[in-house]
Each structure stands twice: as C-alpha cells, then as structure tokens.
Amino acid sequence: MEYTTLGSTGIEVSKICLGCMSFGSGREWMLDEKEGAKLVERAIDLGVNFFDTANVYSAGESEEILGDVLSEYDRDEQVVATKVRFPGASDHRNARGLSRKTIEQELSNSLDRLGMDTVDLYQIHRWDYDTPIETTLRALDDAVRRGQVRHIGASSMWAHQFQHALHVSDREGLARFETMQDLYHLAYREEEREMYPLCDRENVGVLPWSPLGAGYLTRPHEEFKATTRGVHETENAEVPYAEGPGSQEINERVQELAADHGVTMAQIALAWQFQNDNVTAPIVGTSSIEHLEAAVEALDVDLSASDVAYLEEPYEPVEVYGHE
C-alpha cells in the first residue's frame, strides 16, 4: 500500500479509500454484514486505512456494518469519513438538507451507528440551496469544537459555491472544508477546469467518487449497457460520459493499454488516478474481494507520460453531472 497526506488535515491515508456504499440491503448486489465484514477485513490486511460511508447508504446500514467491523480493530489506526445531506434511517422533513437541526441530529445518529465518539471527516453530501452556507458552516464548526468531528469536507458542487464556502469560513473564523469528493475519471474530466485549480490553491484533498465510471472503464464500451449497473447509470441516472463524444475512443484506448501492460481495464483506469496530481485518493467502491485486491495491485502499474497522454487525448467536454 502507498500513503499520502489528506489535504491540509495532516492525516496520512492510504491512496485507496474503500467506499462502503455497497454495504447493506438497499439493492440486490449489496453486501450483508458478514460479507461486508470480510471485505473490510481484507482491505485492512492490504493496508487500507481510509473508509468512506454516508448516512443515506442503505438508510444507515452501511455505517452500522462498517462500525461493527472496525470495533474489532484499533480505532486510532483507521480514518473514517461519512456524510450528511440526504436522509438516513428515517425520512422526514428535517432528515434532509444542511440546517443546524439536520446536521446535529444526523451526526448524532451516524456516530451511534458507527459506534464512535468522533468521526475523522464529516462531509456535506452536495450543496443545500435552501440553507445559507453560513448556517451550515457554523453547525459544522460547533461539531468540530465539541469533538464530534475532526475535519469537514464537501462533495460535488460548482467551484464558485466551494470558493464562497471557503471565503465564509475564513471571514468568520470557522472550520474550513479540507476535502472535495466529486466525480472524476478518464471519461469525465470537467472538474479540471475550475474545481481542481481551486483545490490545489487551497490545499484541499481530492477524493474522486466513481473513479471507474460505475464500470464504464472496466469493460468494452458495447458491453456496458449489458450490466445491471450500466442500465441503471445510463437509463436512470442519465450519466453523460457513457455516450460522450470521445468516450468510446477513451474506452478502446483503456482496453489497448490494458492488453499492452497485461492488466485489466480497471487497473489502467485506476493507475491513471494514482499518478494524477489532482487526486489524493480515489474512492473505490466494490462488492468483491477480488476486485479490491486488483485495485491495490494497480498501484504497481506504471503508466508512462506517453501512456497518459494517449489515454487523455480523445477527451471532449460533456455535460456537468453529479452536482444535484
């Protein structure tokens, strides 16, 4: 395993963050407590010390499963991140959003499910257009001061929104967002235009979600819609990158380099993330120990500068996605 510093937090984290959205019973492909425990235990064996979940994942079941497994290990060695914005175990008018009431009650519920007194990284799960950012930041700052949260982070939003939030924190002397979790992979690079220069300037750690494009970069283009996840992404989530003007060519080049290097397409796509100066640690969500092990092996895949240029060259702009 390789490790890196998480933005301005000073925390050392593995270059792979295990995403825990696959834990629970929300969908047929998700892992129950027993299978989820096996995946987390193998991740720890491989050197992963960074785990990302959310109150909304399987209505809180993900947090419960992760917390139960980590309770058997030295908590001080693990870095745990969760999120607030969407409803957790119960859904009502004040179970969603970023008001002080929602943040305080959902944080308390998340800590209970995780079995922890403090969460290392507490992230807002998108922007809340109905709550002033000053209100949200004051509630988060109070959580930091109470010792319930060590650091705060944000997720997919417009760069102008993120810049405004950082400005408010500086102006009011409040805790700042120190990480950005957003969509980023070879077939979706819109964040390079404004968000990543801002993150670099402000020393904000970048944690891309869906670094394999929900499977688009793991199999040939024509096979993507043949998978359950592919149908969901293209027909329900309406992701723009699977049909982007340069996407098929990017997909084919990932296939080509995978054959040249004797590795899988997923390993090429992850190797591109690992060598990317914009990225701190991609969030790898998987329900398979085999795929987790392959992701760790991708740390050893050495892409040359010409390989990277070859992979990136076909990219063309696509519609911004994931901010809502």
Side-chain angles (χ1 to χ4, degrees):
M1 181 53 62
E2 297 177 16
Y3 299 87
T4 187
T5 304
L6 182 59
S8 59
T9 69
I11 299 174
E12 292 295 310
V13 296
S14 49
K15 289 194 72 172
I16 291 176
C17 176
L18 181 63
C20 301
M21 191 176 73
S22 61
F23 298 175
S25 58
R27 295 187 180 274
E28 66 276 5
W29 47 266
M30 291 184 168
L31 303 178
D32 60 20
E33 184 172 0
K34 182 178 179 181
E35 294 303 312
K38 289 180 180 178
L39 187 66
V40 173
E41 289 165 357
R42 183 58 180 141
I44 293 173
D45 288 343
L46 292 167
V48 173
N49 74 337
F50 192 15
F51 302 89
D52 177 78
T53 183
N55 65 331
V56 71
Y57 295 164
S58 286
E61 290 181 57
S62 173
E63 291 177 321
E64 291 177 346
I65 292 171
L66 178 63
D68 286 346
V69 183
L70 293 184
S71 69
E72 302 298 320
Y73 292 84
D74 185 348
R75 172 67 182 89
D76 292 343
E77 295 183 10
Q78 314 306 328
V79 180
V80 176
T82 191
K83 311 182 196 74
V84 61
R85 170 66 174 83
F86 303 108
S90 60
D91 188 4
H92 52 82
R93 293 182 184 275
N94 289 301
R96 59 182 65 226
L98 295 173
S99 68
R100 176 177 288 275
K101 176 176 173 59
T102 300
I103 288 172
E104 290 183 352
Q105 68 193 19
E106 289 302 313
L107 174 57
S108 177
N109 292 337
S110 287
L111 290 172
D112 285 345
R113 288 190 291 263
L114 288 164
M116 298 173 183
D117 296 323
T118 305
V119 67
D120 299 300
L121 178 64
Y122 199 48
Q123 304 155 105
I124 62 168
H125 209 167
R126 308 295 191 273
W127 189 265
D128 180 0
Y129 287 88
D130 296 324
T131 305
I133 190 61
E134 291 88 345
T135 299
T136 297
L137 287 168
R138 288 190 184 282
L140 293 171
D141 183 76
D142 286 345
V144 173
R145 293 175 186 273
R146 287 194 303 269
Q148 293 178 299
V149 171
R150 291 193 170 95
H151 301 279
I152 62 172
S155 64
S156 298
M157 62 180 62
W158 298 102
H160 73 84
Q161 293 170 323
F162 194 46
Q163 176 64 81
H164 176 56
L166 294 174
H167 170 71
V168 170
S169 290
D170 291 344
R171 185 188 69 203
E172 303 297 328
L174 303 172
R176 296 176 109 234
F177 291 129
E178 295 180 88
T179 59
M180 167 53 62
Q181 183 177 148
D182 55 358
L183 180 63
Y184 184 56
H185 53 71
L186 271 167
Y188 184 87
R189 293 168 46 206
E190 296 307 297
E191 301 297 278
E192 293 177 1
R193 304 184 190 283
E194 295 185 358
M195 182 59 79
Y196 286 169
L198 172 58
C199 289
D200 180 61
R201 188 183 71 209
E202 299 290 342
N203 196 18
V204 169
V206 170
L207 311 172
W209 55 268
S210 197
L212 298 176
Y216 180 70
L217 298 170
T218 68
R219 56 181 57 83
H221 173 86
E222 60 273 12
E223 296 180 13
F224 181 57
K225 289 186 178 180
T227 67
T228 301
R229 187 70 184 272
V231 171
H232 175 268
E233 294 296 313
T234 54
E235 296 183 5
N236 299 327
E238 299 181 344
V239 295
Y241 50 79
E243 302 299 334
S247 297
Q248 184 166 346
E249 179 66 21
I250 291 169
N251 182 283
E252 290 170 354
R253 293 190 183 196
V254 172
Q255 293 180 60
E256 181 183 339
L257 284 185
D260 290 346
H261 285 264
V263 298
T264 65
M265 290 178 64
Q267 287 173 318
I268 291 295
L270 285 174
W272 177 81
Q273 295 270 351
F274 294 142
Q275 60 78 51
N276 193 312
D277 290 339
N278 292 316
V279 175
T280 303
I283 298 172
V284 177
T286 179
S287 56
S288 162
I289 289 178
E290 179 183 0
H291 291 166
L292 172 63
E293 292 171 341
V296 175
E297 291 170 1
L299 287 163
D300 295 325
V301 176
D302 185 20
L303 295 180
S304 67
S306 61
D307 286 338
V308 172
Y310 184 65
L311 289 169
E312 294 181 351
E313 189 271 335
Y315 185 77
E316 295 185 38
V318 296
E319 183 180 353
V320 171
Y321 177 82
H323 289 190
E324 300 300 328

